[in-house]
Amino acid sequence: MSGQSITDRITAAQHSVTGSAISKTVCKATTHEIMGPKKKHLNYLIQCTNEMNVNIPQLADTLFERTTSTSWVVVFKSLTTTHHLMVYGNERFIQYLASRNTLFNLSNFLDKSGLQGYDMSTFIRRYSRYLNEKAVSYRQVAFDFTKVERGSDGVMRTMNTEKLLKTISVIQNQMDALLDFNVNANELTNGVINAAFMLLFKDAIRLFAAYNEGVINLLEKYFDMKKVQCKEGLDLYKKFLTRMTRISEFLKVAEQVGIDRGDIPDLSQAPSSLLDALEQHLASLEGKKVKDSTAASRASTLSSAVSSLANTGMSFSKVDEREKQAALEEEQARLKALKEQRLKELQKNPTTATTDSSPVSLDGTIDSAPVLDPFSTTNSTNVLGGILKPTVASSPHQSMTLNSQQPHPKLVSDDLDSSLANLVGNLGIGNGRAKNDLHWNQSDEKKLTGGTNWLPNTAPSTTWNPATMVRLLWLPAQPAPSAVAFPAATPTGMMAYAMPPRMGSMMITQPTMMYTQPVMRSPNPFGPSPGAQMQFM
């Protein structure tokens, strides 16, 4: 089977619709393609573990869900992706796995679709057991052995006796689960199992390095321990020698599949005389008869053993440094490739040298384009003056002649507040006195296109001054006035009506009335107005 299956494409499309980028990436990293998870997908998931707004339980549950597949490819790649995040992802990921009661329940997994499925199912069961044990180890000691600080001041070298004995037992259990993967070079036949083996190889090196330092600390404290502690320490040292043999076989397989010899550490075993010295010391504590041995001989044997194990630790440290250097070079090469790609894009389209979000160009210069300042002297004259000053356009058909011409608002170019104050003063806003009581305007020469004196293009109209609130008039008898056109419109928001004059009557003119909705108008402009009036005979 090669390429993504229809199921893979449908699943990825479903997550695209729901908007779950993490679930979509997990599906793409665990497709049915017989190859290891793609690096771009793994890098994206690693970055997700470093984001505080990412739901780590949801990410882990998505991976667990993929392990329920019946395809050995999907399950194996799901385990590999999980292992990758445990090693290179944020520590929050492995912390969450350690907090769960159960992880992978694949002890009975079997893919019966083909012969390859049968073979790979065996390694899936072993691999899932190691990942479970890795999470359990973190739960017991609250740190990852593959990431622990090493050296003379490291965690394992400075641990007290009681805690050291318990911790070495935890390391041994995890090491046993890793070595139980037990794969041969001729069984590493596809990219899926090869990807898993590479992660196990790196874990084996770091885990055994921590194991080695714990044993060095154990040997340095052994002759000062109590009888019970010495018995337990001796048993741990014997198991360590057995696991050193197994790790040597594991490293041989790594060399056979093409891993660089420089990336494989050299293991130096302690002299066999050290085991005899440890057994004799325990026998002496139990009261058994042993052959005499001087303190000088025991110290010499112990020093030789510690020196051998220290050389092994130095070999592991060199491998780590080489791996870090390789990772650094790979990152530098990737950044160089991105830079070259960016330069090629800029050569094709030079206008993208600077982005809208950043004024800094690629050559290090800053884009100093002029910025519009609405409060500067220059801009105030050009911008604000054109907005605030009303515009009057001449027309050959219509014009307006004002009995009392109001001056144009005086604008202060460098002071916006003063300009607005002058404009308000000329409009008469908030001023209780009236400048002109009554104005008859004949609209026949000019046409106002804006400003405070604008009126719609209608028949000659009467402008009623809103400032005149109450006026008592004693009007003499006179004939009815001739018909005058009813004002089609009055200043915005105001309707003004007045009763026609009658003989011997005193009339109070109707004050200005404000309406927010249309009102009924009297068909007779000289009839009674809809508002209340006071008339005295």
Side-chain angles (χ1 to χ4, degrees):
M1 182 184 299
S2 62
Q4 295 185 16
S5 66
I6 297 178
T7 304
D8 296 332
R9 298 180 185 275
I10 293 176
T11 305
Q14 290 174 347
H15 290 299
S16 297
V17 172
T18 58
S20 178
I22 294 178
S23 299
K24 179 181 178 181
T25 306
V26 169
C27 291
K28 286 184 172 294
T30 58
T31 59
H32 288 77
E33 296 175 280
I34 304 181
M35 58 180 293
K38 293 183 180 179
K39 191 172 183 179
K40 63 179 182 179
H41 299 144
L42 295 177
N43 290 340
Y44 177 81
L45 295 177
I46 290 174
Q47 182 63 29
C48 289
T49 62
N50 293 319
E51 298 293 336
M52 297 305 297
N53 59 341
V54 171
N55 191 335
I56 296 296
Q58 180 183 359
L59 171 59
D61 291 342
T62 305
L63 290 168
F64 293 148
E65 182 181 355
R66 297 293 288 174
T67 61
T68 60
S69 174
T70 57
S71 170
W72 70 268
V73 181
V74 175
V75 176
F76 217 149
K77 293 173 75 171
S78 300
L79 296 176
T80 304
T81 303
T82 303
H83 190 185
H84 196 90
L85 296 180
M86 295 174 74
V87 175
Y88 298 105
N90 192 281
E91 194 172 4
R92 294 189 304 145
F93 185 78
I94 192 173
Q95 285 176 351
Y96 172 72
L97 298 183
S99 66
R100 291 175 61 101
N101 294 327
T102 58
L103 292 180
F104 300 107
N105 187 16
L106 299 172
S107 57
N108 297 321
F109 177 81
L110 181 62
D111 186 348
K112 301 179 181 180
S113 61
L115 181 60
Q116 191 177 26
Y118 276 95
D119 295 338
M120 293 296 105
S121 295
T122 301
F123 296 107
I124 287 176
R125 294 192 294 268
R126 296 173 182 175
Y127 194 23
S128 63
R129 178 176 175 269
Y130 168 71
L131 295 181
N132 289 342
E133 192 64 38
K134 183 179 177 72
V136 171
S137 298
Y138 189 95
R139 183 192 307 166
Q140 293 176 338
V141 299
F143 59 83
D144 188 352
F145 290 114
T146 63
K147 300 179 182 179
V148 71
E149 182 182 357
R150 298 197 297 268
S152 59
D153 297 330
V155 175
M156 300 301 298
R157 292 291 294 271
T158 58
M159 199 172 288
N160 58 55
T161 302
E162 183 178 357
K163 187 176 182 180
L164 178 65
L165 296 174
K166 294 179 179 179
T167 304
I168 291 179
S169 299
V170 175
I171 295 181
Q172 286 181 347
N173 293 335
Q174 185 174 342
M175 180 62 70
D176 289 343
L178 189 151
L179 297 175
D180 285 344
F181 191 74
N182 196 22
V183 66
N184 297 322
N186 56 1
E187 293 173 321
L188 298 174
T189 56
N190 59 76
V192 180
I193 191 172
N194 289 346
F197 179 78
M198 286 302 301
L199 290 174
L200 290 172
F201 168 73
K202 294 178 180 180
D203 265 16
I205 292 177
R206 297 166 180 164
L207 184 61
F208 193 82
Y211 191 11
N212 183 72
E213 290 195 346
V215 172
I216 293 176
N217 190 13
L218 174 67
L219 295 176
E220 292 174 345
K221 290 181 169 61
Y222 182 81
F223 294 100
D224 298 328
M225 292 180 182
K226 300 177 182 179
K227 181 175 66 174
V228 176
Q229 294 175 337
C230 284
K231 185 176 181 178
E232 184 178 359
L234 179 60
D235 182 63
L236 292 175
Y237 180 72
K238 290 180 179 180
K239 292 180 179 180
F240 171 76
L241 297 177
T242 303
R243 284 155 183 78
M244 180 173 282
T245 303
R246 295 185 63 187
I247 193 67
S248 299
E249 297 174 355
F250 184 87
L251 296 179
K252 288 180 181 179
V253 174
E255 186 176 359
Q256 292 173 2
V257 297
I259 295 179
D260 192 349
R261 186 68 184 85
D263 295 334
I264 301 175
D266 297 325
L267 302 182
S268 301
Q269 294 186 352
S272 57
S273 59
L274 175 62
L275 181 59
D276 294 337
L278 298 178
E279 291 177 343
Q280 290 179 9
H281 177 71
L282 176 60
S284 64
L285 293 178
E286 293 177 346
K288 297 179 180 179
K289 185 178 180 180
V290 295
K291 57 182 180 181
D292 296 335
S293 60
T294 62
S297 62
R298 289 188 309 182
S300 177
T301 302
L302 180 61
S303 177
S304 177
V306 170
S307 177
S308 299
L309 296 178
N311 291 334
T312 300
M314 292 178 62
S315 179
F316 281 109
S317 299
K318 291 180 180 179
V319 171
D320 280 350
E321 292 296 331
R322 191 177 296 110
E323 182 180 357
K324 292 179 181 179
Q325 183 65 27
L328 181 60
E329 293 176 356
E330 181 182 358
E331 183 67 16
Q332 290 177 347
R334 187 180 69 86
L335 293 176
K336 183 179 179 181
L338 291 175
K339 183 178 180 180
E340 292 177 352
Q341 181 181 0
R342 179 61 176 166
L343 291 176
K344 291 180 180 179
E345 293 177 355
L346 292 177
Q347 290 176 357
K348 295 180 180 179
N349 188 10
T351 59
T352 59
T354 57
T355 61
D356 295 337
S357 60
S358 175
V360 182
S361 60
L362 293 179
D363 57 359
T365 61
I366 298 178
D367 185 9
S368 58
V371 180
L372 179 64
D373 184 3
F375 298 100
S376 65
T377 303
T378 305
N379 293 328
S380 298
T381 304
N382 297 333
V383 180
L384 294 176
I387 295 176
L388 297 178
K389 183 179 295 184
T391 303
V392 179
S394 60
S395 173
H397 303 289
Q398 293 181 344
S399 65
M400 177 175 286
T401 303
L402 300 178
N403 295 335
S404 177
Q405 182 69 26
Q406 296 181 357
H408 289 288
K410 182 179 179 181
L411 301 181
V412 182
S413 60
D414 53 356
D415 190 346
L416 178 60
D417 293 336
S418 299
S419 299
L420 293 176
N422 292 336
L423 179 62
V424 171
N426 284 276
L427 292 176
I429 300 177
N431 189 0
R433 62 184 181 84
K435 295 184 179 180
N436 295 300
D437 295 341
L438 192 61
H439 303 286
W440 296 90
N441 304 320
Q442 184 67 26
S443 147
D444 55 357
E445 295 181 1
K446 293 185 179 180
K447 177 182 179 182
L448 289 179
T449 59
T452 59
N453 297 320
W454 179 83
L455 289 176
N457 185 15
T458 61
S461 60
T462 301
T463 302
W464 303 91
N465 193 338
T468 305
M469 301 299 296
V470 178
R471 178 178 300 161
L472 297 178
L473 298 178
W474 181 260
L475 301 178
Q478 61 182 14
S482 59
V484 180
F486 181 75
T490 56
T492 305
M494 295 179 292
M495 301 292 293
Y497 300 96
M499 286 291 294
R502 294 183 180 179
M503 181 183 301
S505 64
M506 182 175 62
M507 182 186 68
I508 300 177
T509 58
Q510 178 68 19
T512 302
M513 302 181 66
M514 305 297 294
Y515 293 94
T516 59
Q517 296 181 354
V519 298
M520 296 293 294
R521 292 183 177 179
S522 174
N524 183 2
F526 300 101
S529 63
Q533 295 185 5
M534 294 182 61
Q535 182 172 350
F536 298 89
M537 299 299 297

